[in-house]
Amino acid sequence: MTIKQLRVTCPRCNGSGYISGYDYSTDGCSACGGSGSDFEPKKMKKGRGEIYVKFEVLKDKCEYCAGSGKLDCTTIEHGTGFFGDYRKEKQFRAKCNYCQGIGKQLIAIYRSKCDSCGGSGKQYYWKKGLFGTEYKKHKTCNKCSGSGKIDKSEGHVFKGKLSSILHT
């Protein structure tokens, strides 16, 4: 099993650094570190617009780009010029969003709260003391090693959308 950490466009703000129409305050996207708002562009400090996500790389080829990591794209531009209406077609190759340019199928791995300790990193237990009294003690959680978070696999092949795992 191969694990890779890749930079992916932030699904919460679509790479802009702020959430348009979501919040009227000057707080930006908390997922990628953006700050500012689209209502006051001079004060806006654009965030990274990307987040790091761990992926499990499978041995199967990406079904969208057939393992090349690139997709052939075509854009059509319409407009009115000096000689009338025109239509311009441009072809280019872009990185495949489904395999992030690797050419293999991916499974997203995300950090979530440890269910054993509830995210505190400590497991509490009761210990009997002298004269039969009990007192509460704690130890470092065995499952998350005290961090409070564990890596979980999404379980299905990545299809280019991270919004389902961003809330954790």
Side-chain angles (χ1 to χ4, degrees):
M1 173 170 76
T2 307
I3 305 265
K4 282 200 170 211
Q5 187 168 349
L6 304 169
R7 277 189 353 200
V8 180
T9 301
C10 178
R12 186 170 285 158
C13 67
N14 289 324
S16 68
Y18 60 88
I19 302 172
S20 178
Y22 178 75
D23 190 3
Y24 293 105
S25 69
T26 57
D27 294 336
C29 180
S30 60
C32 66
S35 63
S37 72
D38 55 346
F39 301 106
E40 298 179 56
K42 291 180 183 176
K43 291 183 178 180
M44 188 187 85
K45 295 177 183 172
K46 187 174 179 183
R48 169 171 236 114
E50 295 176 327
I51 59 173
Y52 286 98
V53 178
K54 286 183 184 178
F55 289 100
E56 180 183 342
V57 181
L58 302 178
K59 294 182 180 181
D60 300 331
K61 287 183 182 179
C62 175
E63 58 190 55
Y64 296 96
C65 65
S68 69
K70 301 270 184 193
L71 292 173
D72 294 323
C73 301
T74 304
T75 60
I76 299 172
E77 182 182 319
H78 297 277
T80 304
F82 185 71
F83 297 108
D85 293 341
Y86 69 89
R87 179 177 173 226
K88 193 188 303 183
E89 198 171 290
K90 291 182 181 179
Q91 293 184 344
F92 61 95
R93 289 179 61 85
K95 178 177 85 169
C96 177
N97 286 334
Y98 300 99
C99 68
Q100 300 299 311
I102 293 177
K104 305 276 185 188
Q105 289 183 348
L106 303 172
I107 294 179
I109 298 173
Y110 62 97
R111 307 272 296 163
S112 70
K113 188 170 31 170
C114 177
D115 54 352
S116 181
C117 65
S120 68
K122 299 174 185 175
Q123 289 179 323
Y124 293 95
Y125 61 96
W126 291 93
K127 186 169 182 172
K128 282 201 177 209
L130 205 62
F131 307 116
T133 59
E134 291 184 346
Y135 58 97
K136 197 175 190 179
K137 289 194 76 167
H138 67 85
K139 64 178 181 173
T140 304
C141 178
N142 295 335
K143 194 169 185 181
C144 66
S145 301
S147 68
K149 299 209 175 251
I150 55 171
D151 288 341
K152 284 190 176 180
S153 175
E154 201 171 62
H156 56 277
V157 176
F158 180 66
K159 301 287 186 191
K161 295 284 182 193
L162 285 172
S163 57
S164 63
I165 67 169
L166 194 61
H167 68 281
T168 57

